[in-house]
Amino acid sequence: MKNFYQEGPVLTNTFRSDETLQKVLKKLLPEEAQKTALSHLDHLGERAVTDMLIWAQEAEANPPRHIPFDPWGRRIDEIATSNGWKELEKVAAEEGIVATAYDRKLGAFSRVYQMSLLYLYSPSSAIFSCPLAMTDGAARALELYAPDDLKARALPHLLSRKSGQFWTAGQWMTERTGGSDVSGTSTDAHPFTGSSPFGATHALHGTKWFTSATTSQMALTLARPDGAPAGSRGLSLFYLELRNDQQQLNNIQIHRLKDKLGTKALPTAELSLQGTPARMIGGEGEGIKRIASVLNITRIYNSICAVGHMRRALDLATDYSKKRKAFGKILMDHPLHRVTLAELEEDFRRSFTFCMYVSHLLGKEEVGEISASQKILLRALTPILKLYTAKKAIQISSEVVEMFGGAGYVEDTGLPRLLRDAQVFSIWEGTTNVLSLDMLRAFEKEQALPVLMEYFKTCKSMKDNNPAFVEKFTNLQNILSKLSKGTPEDWETHARKLAFAVADLISENLMYEYAI
Ligand code: MFK
C-alpha cells in the first residue's frame, strides 16, 4: 500500500445527479413548462461541472485587486478581476440567470424555472450569484417603481442575455453608522443642478461600508434628502451609475476591498460618495419600503444559493464516501457514516422544497396570479426561508468538511472554502435575529400568523394525518399558546424558536407533498 493515493471526489452533471431537483420539478411544473426548463437545466448542469468549474477555480485562485492610482499618480480606483470571474458573468448573461424570471415565458412558474437555474449556477460561480441577486432585486424595484425613461435605460441591460450589454447592480445599504439598523444611514442627498444622462435629481455624499460587486454598472442606495427627518422614515431610495461615458467613476472613491472570511472572488468594497449624481426612485421618505422589494428578492436568492451550496457539499461527500475505505470497507458501508449523511440529505430536502414553494409564490405574485392570503404567506415566509436555509447550509458544510477528515481541513482540496463561504449566508441580507424580527413585523403588520395557521390546517399532511407533521404542528401550537399571553418582549425573545418551528413544519409538509 506504499503507493496508495486517495482518489478525490468527482462531480458529474449536477442536474442529472440531482434526484430531488428532478422529482420536485416534475411534480411542480406543467408538462409544457417541463419541456422548456428541463433541457436547459440539463445543459447548465453540464456546464456547472465543466467550463464553469474551471473558471470558478480560476476566480478563487485570483481574487480581485484594488488599483487606486495609475502609474502617473492619477486616482483611478480600478478593481481588477480575473478572467474566470468575467467568464462567469458571461455565463450568467447567456444562460439568462436573471432574464428568465422577467421573460415570464412559463407564467407563474417562471421563478421556479429561473431559481432552478440559479441553484445549478451558484455553486460553480465563485459567488457571482451575489451580484446577480442584487441585479434581480434592482430589476424588480425598477420595474415596480421607476419612471418609464429610467426603466427603458436600465432594464434592457439588467435583463440582457448578451454579455457585452449585460449590467449587474449593487445594493448599497450598509454604513458605519448603520448595519442592520439602516435608520442610522448618514449619506446625504442634496439637490443636483448639473446634467446627467439618467436624470439625476440629487448629489449624494456619504460612506458606504459594504458594497458588494463594486464592479457593477449601477446601484440602488439609500440616502437622506436635505431637511428629511432622522431615522428610517427620512430615507429615500436612489438609482446611480458608477461610471460616466468616459468610464470614470462618478464622484466615487473606493477606499479598499474588504478582506473577508470567505467569498474571496467577489469584490466587496468600502467607498465614499463625493457628490455622486443619483436619481430618486419612489417618493421621498419611502426608501425602506422601496428597498424592501430588493431585499425580499435577494433573500430568496440567498436561500437558493444556500441550497445549491448544500447540494454541492453533499455531492462531494457522497462521491467520496463511495471511494474512501476505512476499517476494511468504504465509508458508505459504515452505518454511522450512512445515517449521518442521510440526516444531512433530509435537511437539504427540507430546505430545497421550502425554496421551491416560496419561489413559486414569488412567480405567482409577479404575474398577478397570487391570492391575498398567498401574498401574505410570501411576505412572512421569505425571512423564515432565508434564516432557515442559511443555518442549514452552515451545519451541512461543517459536517461535510468533517466527513473528509484531515483532507477537509487542507486548503488545496478546496473543501475548507465550503465552510467559509457558507458562513456568509446567515450574514448577507439580514442576520438570523434580524430576520426573525422581520417575521414578527409581518405577523403584526400583515396579520400573517392566522393566514399561516390556516395554510397548515389545509395542507395535505394535515388532511392525511402525517405523524411527523402532526408532531411538529403540536410543537408549534405549544410555542404559540405560551406566547399568546406574552408581552411583545416575549415574542421577540422566542422569535427565532418560532421561525425554526414554522420552517420545520412547512418543510415537513412539502417533503410529504412532493413524496421525496
Ligand atoms: C454574498 C457575499 C456578501 C459579502 C459580505 C456581505 C457582508 C454583509 C453585507 C451586508 O451588509 S448585506 C445587507 C444587510 N442588511 C440588511 O439586510 C438590512 C437588515 N435590516 C432590516 O432588514 C430591517 O428590518 C429594515 C432595514 C428593512 C427595516 O428597519 P426599520 O427601520 O426598523 O423599518 P420599519 O420602520 O420597521 O419598516 C419601514 C417600512 O418598511 C414598514 O412599512 P410601513 O411604512 O408601511 O409601516 C415595513 O413594513 C416595511 N418593511 C420592512 N421590511 C420589509 C418591509 N416591507 C416588505 N418586506 C420587508 N422585508
Side-chain angles (χ1 to χ4, degrees), residues 2-35:
K2 268 192 185 144
N3 288 329
F4 172 77
Y5 294 98
Q6 178 60 47
E7 235 190 280
V10 174
L11 296 164
T12 56
N13 182 316
T14 53
F15 172 73
R16 289 187 202 169
S17 63
D18 194 332
E19 269 181 44
T20 310
L21 172 66
Q22 292 183 40
K23 274 192 185 165
V24 171
L25 290 184
K26 282 180 186 156
K27 280 234 152 162
L28 196 56
L29 295 179
E31 223 161 276
E32 269 310 298
Q34 285 186 33
K35 276 187 204 151

Side-chain angles (χ1 to χ4, degrees), residues 127 130 171 173-174 179-183 210 212 232-233 260 263 266 268 288-289 292-293 295-296 299 379 424 427-431 434-435 438 441 445-446:
I127 317 275
C130 168
Q171 177 253 95
M173 276 176 78
T174 310
S180 294
D181 178 7
V182 298
S183 66
F210 267 103
S212 272
S232 58
R233 309 266 156 180
K260 294 169 288 175
T263 68
L266 166 73
T268 301
I288 300 278
K289 280 174 75 146
S293 61
L295 282 179
N296 290 334
R299 286 172 180 169
R379 169 68 186 97
V424 86
I427 295 173
W428 173 36
E429 306 302 45
T431 62
V434 164
L435 292 165
D438 190 46
R441 188 188 278 110
K445 211 182 149 211
E446 323 288 335

Side-chain angles (χ1 to χ4, degrees), residues 386-430:
K386 195 284 195 181
L387 69 89
Y388 184 75
T389 50
K391 285 291 189 209
K392 294 285 183 202
I394 297 168
Q395 280 163 15
I396 290 177
S397 301
S398 170
E399 288 288 351
V400 164
V401 164
E402 187 177 331
M403 278 177 172
F404 280 90
Y409 206 64
V410 172
E411 288 292 348
D412 62 4
T413 61
L415 295 163
R417 202 168 59 232
L418 284 174
L419 189 52
R420 279 201 301 269
D421 285 355
Q423 187 63 57
V424 86
F425 294 124
S426 69
I427 295 173
W428 173 36
E429 306 302 45

Side-chain angles (χ1 to χ4, degrees), residues 84-299:
W85 183 254
K86 293 185 182 92
E87 290 293 338
L88 291 163
E89 175 166 7
K90 278 191 203 161
V91 178
E94 285 162 14
E95 301 294 344
I97 307 291
V98 178
T100 301
Y102 292 82
D103 295 345
R104 300 192 177 128
K105 281 194 185 139
L106 302 193
F109 295 99
S110 300
R111 277 290 181 185
V112 171
Y113 172 24
Q114 177 250 344
M115 290 295 177
S116 301
L117 289 172
L118 174 70
Y119 163 76
L120 295 180
Y121 172 88
S122 171
S124 293
S125 77
I127 317 275
F128 201 90
S129 42
C130 168
L132 297 185
M134 296 183 289
T135 304
D136 196 328
R140 185 66 181 145
L142 292 176
E143 184 178 60
L144 289 171
Y145 309 119
D148 287 344
D149 64 306
L150 197 52
K151 276 187 206 168
R153 181 176 175 86
L155 281 177
H157 290 292
L158 299 175
L159 306 180
S160 176
R161 290 172 187 263
K162 294 194 181 124
S163 60
Q165 292 176 20
F166 181 57
W167 283 5
T168 56
Q171 177 253 95
W172 301 349
M173 276 176 78
T174 310
E175 299 196 4
R176 288 199 302 265
T177 44
S180 294
D181 178 7
V182 298
S183 66
T185 297
S186 49
T187 299
D188 298 322
H190 308 301
F192 179 75
T193 45
S195 71
S196 116
F198 56 88
T201 53
H202 291 74
L204 307 187
H205 295 262
T207 299
K208 296 289 172 181
W209 187 240
F210 267 103
T211 63
S212 272
T214 321
T215 44
S216 293
Q217 286 77 7
M218 61 147 289
L220 294 180
T221 193
L222 293 173
R224 197 178 307 279
D226 289 345
S232 58
R233 309 266 156 180
L235 297 173
S236 300
L237 181 64
F238 291 90
Y239 167 97
L240 61 85
E241 291 180 8
L242 275 80
R243 291 178 185 271
N244 62 20
D245 292 344
Q246 288 84 51
Q247 289 309 302
Q248 293 153 336
L249 283 167
N250 270 329
N251 301 342
I252 294 172
Q253 192 171 90
I254 295 170
H255 300 179
R256 56 177 169 163
L257 290 179
K258 296 289 195 186
D259 185 9
K260 294 169 288 175
L261 171 68
T263 68
K264 301 271 189 190
L266 166 73
T268 301
E270 193 184 310
L271 56 81
S272 57
L273 306 170
Q274 303 176 337
T276 308
R279 181 160 173 183
M280 191 187 283
I281 297 178
E284 190 167 325
E286 290 179 353
I288 300 278
K289 280 174 75 146
R290 299 296 161 244
I291 209 158
S293 61
V294 181
L295 282 179
N296 290 334
I297 299 264
T298 53
R299 286 172 180 169

